[in-house]
Amino acid sequence: MVPAAGRPARTVVIGFGAAVVLGTALLSLPAASAEGRDTDLVQALFSATSAVCITGLAVVDTEQHWSLFGEMVILGLIQTGGLGIMTLASLLGLLVSRRLGLRMELTAQSETKSLGLGEVRKVITGVIKLSLLFELAITAVLATRLALAYGYSPTEALYSGGFHAVSAWNNAGLSLYNDSMTRFAEDPWICLTVIVAVVAGGLGFPVWFELGRRISGRQRRWSLHTKITLAVTGLLLIAGFTAITAGEWDNRDTLGGMGWPGKLLAGAFAAVMPRSGGLNSVDIGEMNTATLLVQDVLMFIGGGSSGTAGGIKVTTFAVLAFVIVAEIRGEPSVHAMGRRLSAVVQRQALTIVLLSVALVMLTTLTLLLLTPFTLDEVLFESISAVATVGLSTGITPDLPPVAHVLMSVLMFIGRLGPVTLAAALALRDRPRKYELPEERPIVG
């Protein structure tokens, strides 16, 4: 049984904290580093946190610094973090929905505030099956392309394809190549496969579960969560692609040197990765300031709930958008796609967004004080860490050790914060015994 009210969030934090500690210890071993390389404690901590929290920021060159053992440790941490996030977020979401269902339905079945063993098993096995299915399919495509087009041996192709399949599906952003995906910028087989993997992993298990039920005919209507996730994801991808491609079209350091098919492909890749993919096919540090700002916004929003994507999540962003529309129209309640949004959901969305903004601003200010880098670079790095995206303008390895420790804490908070905070807020039950007289301050 899953603990009720308050304890699930604590369990998630402890579990992921233990994974980070174990990963740090393993990466600190001499066997984890390549010959002639040394790994200090801060580098091990940062790398382990980035892998477990499926972020993708790196302080060392993954291709050159780690031995095969070290790469396998990182791969294992990515897989553990990805499966853990999807499973635990889905279980917490199910627990929350049952708890809220109790208040609305008041049926005998809803009296339990915990999850049954069958439900837990169903979620866990579903997440594992879905992840392995996608990862195997992605591995097959990438390995075949690497072997046939780039001369990789079968073993090298399978290993590289498998590593990047796991990284892409889990939105981890880590690559075995020191230039990430830049060498494949105009290869549609590689880039489109990675794009599909990142988008699919970022949708979240609840959406895939519902899609499966819809295809099998067991469900006729889409839930509001799935409608919002699919609609907003599509809109953000289109808007991001248009803005980034147009902004970088003539930039010789990014898209400018490619033919138009390559520009469109690289533009699509750059539009998808800020949702938490973390890989890049062009040099992020050479992008225009306006384009970096677009990516800042996309990174902050992130992907779907109960998936491997980071950020505040597209549903949170959509809820606030619906609130704004209702307020502009002067409507007394907020409606979205044929459903009314409760005041509780609106307050939760507002809380998550404002706390995330505060965390980004505090991080940005701290890094500006600690480093000589510009506001554009530092803001980008801060959002990438808090939203667990993994994209970087290239300044991460040059940050001082104290900043690396700070970024490790941010990645941990950024990955688990929205999940645990949303669950804690929804499961918390403190009814007021009385209401104070109402008064309205001047707003705006």
mmCIF file of all heavy atoms in Angstrom, residues 375-392:
data_model
loop_
_atom_site.group_PDB
_atom_site.id
_atom_site.type_symbol
_atom_site.label_atom_id
_atom_site.label_comp_id
_atom_site.label_asym_id
_atom_site.label_seq_id
_atom_site.Cartn_x
_atom_site.Cartn_y
_atom_site.Cartn_z
ATOM 1 N N LEU A 375 24.071 37.908 -18.343
ATOM 2 C CA LEU A 375 22.721 37.566 -17.870
ATOM 3 C C LEU A 375 22.074 36.527 -18.776
ATOM 4 O O LEU A 375 21.421 35.588 -18.287
ATOM 5 C CB LEU A 375 21.855 38.827 -17.816
ATOM 6 C CG LEU A 375 20.386 38.610 -17.442
ATOM 7 C CD1 LEU A 375 20.259 37.963 -16.069
ATOM 8 C CD2 LEU A 375 19.621 39.929 -17.494
ATOM 9 N N ASP A 376 22.240 36.662 -20.095
ATOM 10 C CA ASP A 376 21.654 35.693 -21.029
ATOM 11 C C ASP A 376 22.154 34.289 -20.740
ATOM 12 O O ASP A 376 21.360 33.329 -20.683
ATOM 13 C CB ASP A 376 22.009 36.066 -22.475
ATOM 14 C CG ASP A 376 21.332 37.340 -22.926
ATOM 15 O OD1 ASP A 376 20.309 37.693 -22.328
ATOM 16 O OD2 ASP A 376 21.830 37.974 -23.869
ATOM 17 N N GLU A 377 23.458 34.153 -20.550
ATOM 18 C CA GLU A 377 24.053 32.835 -20.318
ATOM 19 C C GLU A 377 23.625 32.253 -18.973
ATOM 20 O O GLU A 377 23.261 31.073 -18.871
ATOM 21 C CB GLU A 377 25.576 32.939 -20.372
ATOM 22 C CG GLU A 377 26.123 33.316 -21.746
ATOM 23 C CD GLU A 377 27.602 33.628 -21.707
ATOM 24 O OE1 GLU A 377 28.064 34.241 -20.729
ATOM 25 O OE2 GLU A 377 28.310 33.256 -22.680
ATOM 26 N N VAL A 378 23.652 33.083 -17.956
ATOM 27 C CA VAL A 378 23.331 32.616 -16.612
ATOM 28 C C VAL A 378 21.855 32.275 -16.483
ATOM 29 O O VAL A 378 21.482 31.273 -15.870
ATOM 30 C CB VAL A 378 23.745 33.684 -15.571
ATOM 31 C CG1 VAL A 378 23.173 33.340 -14.204
ATOM 32 C CG2 VAL A 378 25.253 33.783 -15.494
ATOM 33 N N LEU A 379 20.978 33.106 -17.053
ATOM 34 C CA LEU A 379 19.548 32.834 -17.003
ATOM 35 C C LEU A 379 19.224 31.530 -17.724
ATOM 36 O O LEU A 379 18.436 30.708 -17.237
ATOM 37 C CB LEU A 379 18.768 33.993 -17.643
ATOM 38 C CG LEU A 379 17.243 33.821 -17.710
ATOM 39 C CD1 LEU A 379 16.657 33.692 -16.315
ATOM 40 C CD2 LEU A 379 16.599 34.986 -18.462
ATOM 41 N N PHE A 380 19.838 31.335 -18.879
ATOM 42 C CA PHE A 380 19.625 30.100 -19.640
ATOM 43 C C PHE A 380 20.050 28.889 -18.816
ATOM 44 O O PHE A 380 19.343 27.891 -18.733
ATOM 45 C CB PHE A 380 20.422 30.163 -20.949
ATOM 46 C CG PHE A 380 20.085 29.074 -21.933
ATOM 47 C CD1 PHE A 380 19.155 29.294 -22.934
ATOM 48 C CD2 PHE A 380 20.688 27.824 -21.856
ATOM 49 C CE1 PHE A 380 18.834 28.299 -23.849
ATOM 50 C CE2 PHE A 380 20.382 26.820 -22.751
ATOM 51 C CZ PHE A 380 19.441 27.056 -23.758
ATOM 52 N N GLU A 381 21.217 28.990 -18.185
ATOM 53 C CA GLU A 381 21.743 27.874 -17.393
ATOM 54 C C GLU A 381 20.857 27.587 -16.184
ATOM 55 O O GLU A 381 20.622 26.438 -15.821
ATOM 56 C CB GLU A 381 23.165 28.198 -16.938
ATOM 57 C CG GLU A 381 24.079 27.009 -16.859
ATOM 58 C CD GLU A 381 24.550 26.559 -18.225
ATOM 59 O OE1 GLU A 381 24.281 27.256 -19.230
ATOM 60 O OE2 GLU A 381 25.206 25.512 -18.308
ATOM 61 N N SER A 382 20.353 28.644 -15.552
ATOM 62 C CA SER A 382 19.513 28.488 -14.368
ATOM 63 C C SER A 382 18.199 27.785 -14.715
ATOM 64 O O SER A 382 17.776 26.851 -14.021
ATOM 65 C CB SER A 382 19.221 29.858 -13.748
ATOM 66 O OG SER A 382 20.404 30.501 -13.349
ATOM 67 N N ILE A 383 17.560 28.244 -15.786
ATOM 68 C CA ILE A 383 16.303 27.616 -16.192
ATOM 69 C C ILE A 383 16.536 26.174 -16.611
ATOM 70 O O ILE A 383 15.742 25.281 -16.293
ATOM 71 C CB ILE A 383 15.644 28.415 -17.335
ATOM 72 C CG1 ILE A 383 15.272 29.815 -16.856
ATOM 73 C CG2 ILE A 383 14.409 27.684 -17.859
ATOM 74 C CD1 ILE A 383 14.690 30.704 -17.927
ATOM 75 N N SER A 384 17.635 25.923 -17.311
ATOM 76 C CA SER A 384 17.948 24.567 -17.747
ATOM 77 C C SER A 384 18.112 23.631 -16.563
ATOM 78 O O SER A 384 17.678 22.477 -16.602
ATOM 79 C CB SER A 384 19.233 24.569 -18.594
ATOM 80 O OG SER A 384 19.514 23.279 -19.090
ATOM 81 N N ALA A 385 18.723 24.115 -15.477
ATOM 82 C CA ALA A 385 18.908 23.297 -14.283
ATOM 83 C C ALA A 385 17.603 23.109 -13.528
ATOM 84 O O ALA A 385 17.233 21.985 -13.165
ATOM 85 C CB ALA A 385 19.960 23.924 -13.368
ATOM 86 N N VAL A 386 16.887 24.188 -13.282
ATOM 87 C CA VAL A 386 15.637 24.118 -12.521
ATOM 88 C C VAL A 386 14.583 23.309 -13.260
ATOM 89 O O VAL A 386 13.826 22.539 -12.656
ATOM 90 C CB VAL A 386 15.112 25.540 -12.214
ATOM 91 C CG1 VAL A 386 13.725 25.473 -11.580
ATOM 92 C CG2 VAL A 386 16.074 26.279 -11.297
ATOM 93 N N ALA A 387 14.526 23.476 -14.594
ATOM 94 C CA ALA A 387 13.551 22.741 -15.401
ATOM 95 C C ALA A 387 14.080 21.383 -15.837
ATOM 96 O O ALA A 387 13.406 20.674 -16.582
ATOM 97 C CB ALA A 387 13.166 23.568 -16.635
ATOM 98 N N THR A 388 15.280 21.021 -15.393
ATOM 99 C CA THR A 388 15.947 19.745 -15.704
ATOM 100 C C THR A 388 15.935 19.455 -17.201
ATOM 101 O O THR A 388 15.532 18.387 -17.634
ATOM 102 C CB THR A 388 15.310 18.570 -14.929
ATOM 103 O OG1 THR A 388 13.961 18.371 -15.317
ATOM 104 C CG2 THR A 388 15.384 18.805 -13.437
ATOM 105 N N VAL A 389 16.415 20.421 -17.972
ATOM 106 C CA VAL A 389 16.435 20.294 -19.426
ATOM 107 C C VAL A 389 17.776 19.745 -19.904
ATOM 108 O O VAL A 389 17.848 18.751 -20.626
ATOM 109 C CB VAL A 389 16.149 21.647 -20.105
ATOM 110 C CG1 VAL A 389 16.261 21.514 -21.623
ATOM 111 C CG2 VAL A 389 14.766 22.137 -19.715
ATOM 112 N N GLY A 390 18.864 20.412 -19.507
ATOM 113 C CA GLY A 390 20.182 19.932 -19.905
ATOM 114 C C GLY A 390 20.835 20.701 -21.022
ATOM 115 O O GLY A 390 22.008 20.482 -21.330
ATOM 116 N N LEU A 391 20.116 21.615 -21.663
ATOM 117 C CA LEU A 391 20.742 22.455 -22.685
ATOM 118 C C LEU A 391 21.658 23.464 -22.006
ATOM 119 O O LEU A 391 21.403 23.895 -20.880
ATOM 120 C CB LEU A 391 19.680 23.183 -23.505
ATOM 121 C CG LEU A 391 18.800 22.316 -24.415
ATOM 122 C CD1 LEU A 391 17.713 23.161 -25.067
ATOM 123 C CD2 LEU A 391 19.647 21.623 -25.473
ATOM 124 N N SER A 392 22.714 23.856 -22.697
ATOM 125 C CA SER A 392 23.675 24.777 -22.106
ATOM 126 C C SER A 392 24.308 25.633 -23.187
ATOM 127 O O SER A 392 24.476 25.196 -24.329
ATOM 128 C CB SER A 392 24.767 23.996 -21.364
ATOM 129 O OG SER A 392 25.785 24.854 -20.898
#
